[in-house]
């Protein structure tokens, strides 16, 4: 696979693809709960994706992608690129389908994520997040082996799969309050989840939350073209959202559908994690708390039918304790 | 209400009552998830009751009890007795039904539980856990006002309501593995949950877990008659399970149905809380982790269709951090 093929996968993600993926996911996994959380007298609805078997929504896109591979493709294996949650999603789906998986992961990924990915039977290839280009490493690995690259966000199947969280949340909110979401606030790294949710819920306004220093998608939307993160060594605890730049197929959807968003500070992320601990009794990782942090900050307003993604819970105990202190 | 009336509520809890309660709960609340957890190659199934709106299963029994009160009874209010989770259950149900609620709580209850009970609009009356008899205080309060006492476990409605967790879990496990539970391990304070689960699931063997020093139900089962906790000042973090003695209507069910159980140490409880944090991304309070701790200890064996209650998640951050360290 050349870099050009990676940048242009030959098709755009579609709402029909999201709905097809939702049917596959419904057969595979129970729905994650949509939990009410009262913030200053207003109830917002939290999609608890840390309760997925791998502790994050990434299982959705990985399953949609891998289960659509042909028998010939399955024989040659898959290569994933991820700080950890997509890694586990690909490894989980690969093990279930009997496909061999290699995952390119940053050497400073949380220990819990590295261990969990290996425990799922995947081979892990480490790289230096500040000095190496992970997409180049992955492209080289796929060229050598003929394996299929399963990108963490720049892939139409992956985007469609992540969107299934929106299909579920819309039905769950409808059952609780009689209507679907008019606003969705999504944690945003490369924009796979946000783009998927936008396709899943055409009537909802989409807002995104990125960590301070890694708000390249917000910058790209403002500039009207894709811009990368200026400083790849900028420190953040939101490892799940540390993506150097979004991809054209994500950006096309986000440009058309995102209404706004904000970059959240470490203190705001910590406050959101603590609130989720106290009120929902859930463990949310820093990157998974960004959307709620955006609402708590007041810079993204909630409506009476707002869904917020709590997108993952894979966090080391030491980091968790420090963040909620 | 005299002490005699408290000890003999006039009817025993029944399986029919559990099923009627399950119908009421199904209209009120979404099911809590039943989550798989792999322990040494065997999957056990965890009922995640900390995801209830009040963070514990106690909302079930309180709702069944309060929603069955007559209009005349509702006018006179209710009195509850609880270290915190039943308190919140009664307060939640009372607010929803427009009933005034007074809760007798120990002065050393977790701050989070005291604050949450007051936030739900209940009046809180504090007592000294080591020196005062909470049931006497509650009986006096009901005699003065004509309010209905809603005991935390010695009440047929409360037992039936708690059993609805078993009705849900049985259906969820059936959907996942094609059969219901053959074994249920329950956290046990006064025995309301364990008795309710026993009635809900007549084909399952029932095991109970109590905290070290507060294993009066296990001692009672061994003695063949109700025995109280010998030392009410024995220290434990499992505040939710600190009950001085079980009641006759609980004991009648438990004596007939409990197959075994164990007392768990603080270290075993902490290990269970940490495992739930790491693998399920849930916050379980010490008392809510006792059943899982019993399985992890090896003293209660799991089968291929074992359900374990994770019964609550209301824990102060400081305690949580100390326990998972």
């Amino acid at each position: 696979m050349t870099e050009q093929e990676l940048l242009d996968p030959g098709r755009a993600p579609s709402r029909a693809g999201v709905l097809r993926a939702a049917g596959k996911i419904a057969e595979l996994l129970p729905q994650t709960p949509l939990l009410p959380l009262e913030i200053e007298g207003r109830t917002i609805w939290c999609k608890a994706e840390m309760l997925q078997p791998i502790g994050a929504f990434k299982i959705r896109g990985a399953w949609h992608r891998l289960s659509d591979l042909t028998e010939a493709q399955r024989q040659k294996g898959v290569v994933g690129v991820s700080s950890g949650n997509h890694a586990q999603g690909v490894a989980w789906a690969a093990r279930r389908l009997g496909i061999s998986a290699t995952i390119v992961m940053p050497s400073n990924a949380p220990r819990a994520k590295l261990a969990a990915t290996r425990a799922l039977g995947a081979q892990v290839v480490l790289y230096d997040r500040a000095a190496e280009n992970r997409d180049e490493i992955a492209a080289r690995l796929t060229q050598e082996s003929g394996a299929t690259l399963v990108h963490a966000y720049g892939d139409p199947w992956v985007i469609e799969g992540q969107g299934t969280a929106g299909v579920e949340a819309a039905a769950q909110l409808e059952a609780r309050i009689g209507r679907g979401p008019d606003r969705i606030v999504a944690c945003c790294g490369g924009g796979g989840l946000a783009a998927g949710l936008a396709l899943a819920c055409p009537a909802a306004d989409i807002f995104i939350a990125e960590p301070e220093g890694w708000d390249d998608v917000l910058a790209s939307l403002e500039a009207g073209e894709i811009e990368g993160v200026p400083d790849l060594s900028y420190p953040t605890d939101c490892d799940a959202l540390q993506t150097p730049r979004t991809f054209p197929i994500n950006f096309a959807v986000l440009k058309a559908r995102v209404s706004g968003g904000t970059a959240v500070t470490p203190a705001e992320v910590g406050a959101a994690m603590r609130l989720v601990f106290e009120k929902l009794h859930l463990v949310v990782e820093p990157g998974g708390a960004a959307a709620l942090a955006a609402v708590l900050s007041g810079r993204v307003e909630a409506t009476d039918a707002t869904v917020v993604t709590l997108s993952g819970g894979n966090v080391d105990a030491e980091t968790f304790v420090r963040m909620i202190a």
Side-chain angles (χ1 to χ4, degrees), chain A residues 155-263:
Chain A
D155 178 303
W157 281 267
V158 169
I159 293 169
E160 289 167 351
Q162 319 306 33
T164 63
V167 177
E168 283 181 20
Q172 289 169 312
L173 192 59
E174 178 83 34
R176 293 299 289 270
I177 66 168
R179 62 192 171 113
D182 58 21
R183 181 165 295 196
I184 297 176
V185 190
C187 304
C188 185
L193 177 60
L197 294 171
L199 293 170
C201 301
D205 294 326
I206 308 296
F207 286 74
I208 61 171
E210 293 186 293
E212 192 182 78
W214 293 80
D215 53 342
D216 54 295
V217 174
L218 286 165
S220 300
L221 289 170
E222 196 166 327
E225 59 181 20
I226 295 175
E227 294 193 351
V229 169
D231 176 6
L232 292 173
S233 63
Y234 195 96
T236 180
D237 285 296
C238 299
D239 59 279
L241 306 181
Q242 279 184 286
T243 45
R245 60 170 60 235
T246 189
F247 269 36
I249 61 165
N250 305 84
F251 192 61
V253 176
L254 299 176
K255 204 171 157 180
R257 291 292 309 284
V258 170
S259 303
T262 191

Side-chain angles (χ1 to χ4, degrees), chain A residues 58-147:
Chain A
K58 295 280 191 177
I59 198 169
R60 299 173 178 277
W63 182 257
H64 184 42
R65 183 72 179 104
L66 267 65
S67 60
D68 261 16
L69 292 178
T70 65
E71 192 48 47
Q73 289 172 314
R74 292 184 190 200
Q75 302 263 341
K76 292 185 174 169
V78 294
V79 172
V81 177
S82 168
S83 85
N85 287 334
H86 177 64
Q88 290 180 68
V90 171
W92 189 93
R95 186 172 71 166
R96 185 126 177 165
L97 294 165
I99 301 173
S100 82
T102 304
I103 316 284
V104 183
M105 297 181 74
S107 49
N108 66 345
R111 291 186 301 280
K113 293 182 178 179
L114 288 167
T117 305
R118 289 183 175 123
L120 286 165
Q123 192 193 335
V124 172
V125 175
L126 298 176
Y127 75 99
D128 179 343
R129 203 194 283 266
E132 295 180 271
N133 182 326
R134 64 185 194 173
D135 292 334
E136 281 171 19
I137 298 172
R140 194 182 66 235
L141 284 168
T142 56
Q143 275 174 312
E144 284 166 6
S145 64

